[in-house]
Short mmCIF file of all heavy atoms in Angstrom, two decimals:
data_model
loop_
_atom_site.label_atom_id
_atom_site.label_comp_id
_atom_site.label_asym_id
_atom_site.label_seq_id
_atom_site.Cartn_x
_atom_site.Cartn_y
_atom_site.Cartn_z
N GLU A 69 -5.57 2.39 -3.55
CA GLU A 69 -5.61 1.35 -2.49
C GLU A 69 -6.75 1.75 -1.47
O GLU A 69 -7.53 0.82 -0.99
CB GLU A 69 -4.25 1.26 -1.74
CG GLU A 69 -3.23 0.57 -2.50
CD GLU A 69 -3.52 -0.79 -2.96
OE1 GLU A 69 -4.06 -1.63 -2.17
OE2 GLU A 69 -3.46 -1.07 -4.12
N PHE A 70 -6.91 3.01 -1.05
CA PHE A 70 -7.89 3.47 -0.20
C PHE A 70 -9.34 3.08 -0.79
O PHE A 70 -10.23 2.68 -0.19
CB PHE A 70 -7.82 4.98 0.11
CG PHE A 70 -6.77 5.18 1.12
CD1 PHE A 70 -5.68 6.13 0.67
CD2 PHE A 70 -6.75 4.79 2.41
CE1 PHE A 70 -4.70 6.51 1.66
CE2 PHE A 70 -5.71 5.01 3.33
CZ PHE A 70 -4.71 5.88 2.88
N ARG A 71 -9.52 3.36 -2.11
CA ARG A 71 -10.68 3.27 -2.79
C ARG A 71 -11.10 1.78 -2.75
O ARG A 71 -12.28 1.43 -2.47
CB ARG A 71 -10.64 3.82 -4.26
CG ARG A 71 -12.03 3.60 -4.97
CD ARG A 71 -11.85 4.10 -6.51
NE ARG A 71 -10.65 3.55 -7.19
CZ ARG A 71 -10.65 2.28 -7.67
NH1 ARG A 71 -11.63 1.49 -7.58
NH2 ARG A 71 -9.53 1.87 -8.32
N LYS A 72 -10.19 0.99 -3.03
CA LYS A 72 -10.50 -0.54 -3.14
C LYS A 72 -10.92 -1.08 -1.74
O LYS A 72 -11.80 -1.82 -1.65
CB LYS A 72 -9.25 -1.36 -3.53
CG LYS A 72 -8.94 -1.21 -5.09
CD LYS A 72 -7.57 -2.05 -5.37
CE LYS A 72 -7.31 -1.98 -6.84
NZ LYS A 72 -6.03 -2.67 -7.03
N SER A 73 -10.29 -0.57 -0.69
CA SER A 73 -10.53 -0.97 0.57
C SER A 73 -11.96 -0.60 0.96
O SER A 73 -12.82 -1.45 1.54
CB SER A 73 -9.63 -0.36 1.67
OG SER A 73 -10.00 -0.51 2.92
N LEU A 74 -12.37 0.64 0.68
CA LEU A 74 -13.74 1.20 0.99
C LEU A 74 -14.82 0.43 0.16
O LEU A 74 -15.90 0.17 0.59
CB LEU A 74 -13.76 2.71 0.76
CG LEU A 74 -15.18 3.35 1.15
CD1 LEU A 74 -15.59 3.07 2.53
CD2 LEU A 74 -15.03 4.95 0.83
N GLU A 75 -14.41 0.24 -1.14
CA GLU A 75 -15.47 -0.60 -2.00
C GLU A 75 -15.78 -1.90 -1.49
O GLU A 75 -16.96 -2.29 -1.54
CB GLU A 75 -14.90 -0.59 -3.38
CG GLU A 75 -14.96 0.58 -4.25
CD GLU A 75 -14.31 0.46 -5.62
OE1 GLU A 75 -13.57 -0.53 -5.84
OE2 GLU A 75 -14.48 1.41 -6.48
N GLU A 76 -14.78 -2.56 -0.82
CA GLU A 76 -15.07 -3.98 -0.32
C GLU A 76 -16.08 -3.77 0.91
O GLU A 76 -16.88 -4.61 1.02
CB GLU A 76 -13.76 -4.57 0.19
CG GLU A 76 -12.94 -5.04 -0.86
CD GLU A 76 -13.55 -6.10 -1.73
OE1 GLU A 76 -14.23 -7.02 -1.17
OE2 GLU A 76 -13.69 -5.98 -2.93
N VAL A 77 -15.97 -2.75 1.71
CA VAL A 77 -16.72 -2.48 2.81
C VAL A 77 -18.16 -2.02 2.30
O VAL A 77 -19.15 -2.60 2.88
CB VAL A 77 -16.17 -1.40 3.67
CG1 VAL A 77 -17.22 -1.05 4.77
CG2 VAL A 77 -14.83 -1.83 4.40
N GLU A 78 -18.29 -1.25 1.30
CA GLU A 78 -19.54 -0.77 0.86
C GLU A 78 -20.44 -1.86 0.27
O GLU A 78 -21.60 -1.85 0.36
CB GLU A 78 -19.36 0.30 -0.24
CG GLU A 78 -18.89 1.58 0.26
CD GLU A 78 -18.46 2.51 -0.87
OE1 GLU A 78 -18.04 2.11 -1.88
OE2 GLU A 78 -18.56 3.75 -0.71
N LYS A 79 -19.80 -3.00 -0.18
CA LYS A 79 -20.58 -4.11 -0.76
C LYS A 79 -21.21 -4.97 0.39
O LYS A 79 -22.15 -5.77 0.04
CB LYS A 79 -19.62 -5.10 -1.47
CG LYS A 79 -19.02 -4.41 -2.70
CD LYS A 79 -17.94 -5.44 -3.40
CE LYS A 79 -17.23 -4.74 -4.56
NZ LYS A 79 -16.18 -5.78 -5.02
N GLN A 80 -20.81 -4.88 1.66
CA GLN A 80 -21.13 -5.65 2.68
C GLN A 80 -22.56 -5.25 3.17
O GLN A 80 -22.90 -4.20 3.39
CB GLN A 80 -20.20 -5.80 3.80
CG GLN A 80 -18.81 -6.35 3.31
CD GLN A 80 -17.68 -6.06 4.33
OE1 GLN A 80 -17.84 -5.74 5.46
NE2 GLN A 80 -16.37 -6.20 3.84
N ASN A 81 -23.31 -6.39 3.56
CA ASN A 81 -24.71 -6.14 4.09
C ASN A 81 -24.67 -6.09 5.55
O ASN A 81 -25.01 -7.07 6.24
CB ASN A 81 -25.71 -7.25 3.58
CG ASN A 81 -27.08 -7.00 3.95
OD1 ASN A 81 -27.52 -5.91 4.26
ND2 ASN A 81 -27.83 -8.16 4.10
#
Side-chain angles (χ1 to χ4, degrees):
E69 291 303 309
F70 284 122
R71 177 181 55 78
K72 286 179 179 177
S73 173
L74 183 55
E75 282 177 349
E76 285 302 310
V77 171
E78 288 172 329
K79 293 174 187 174
Q80 296 168 17
N81 185 24

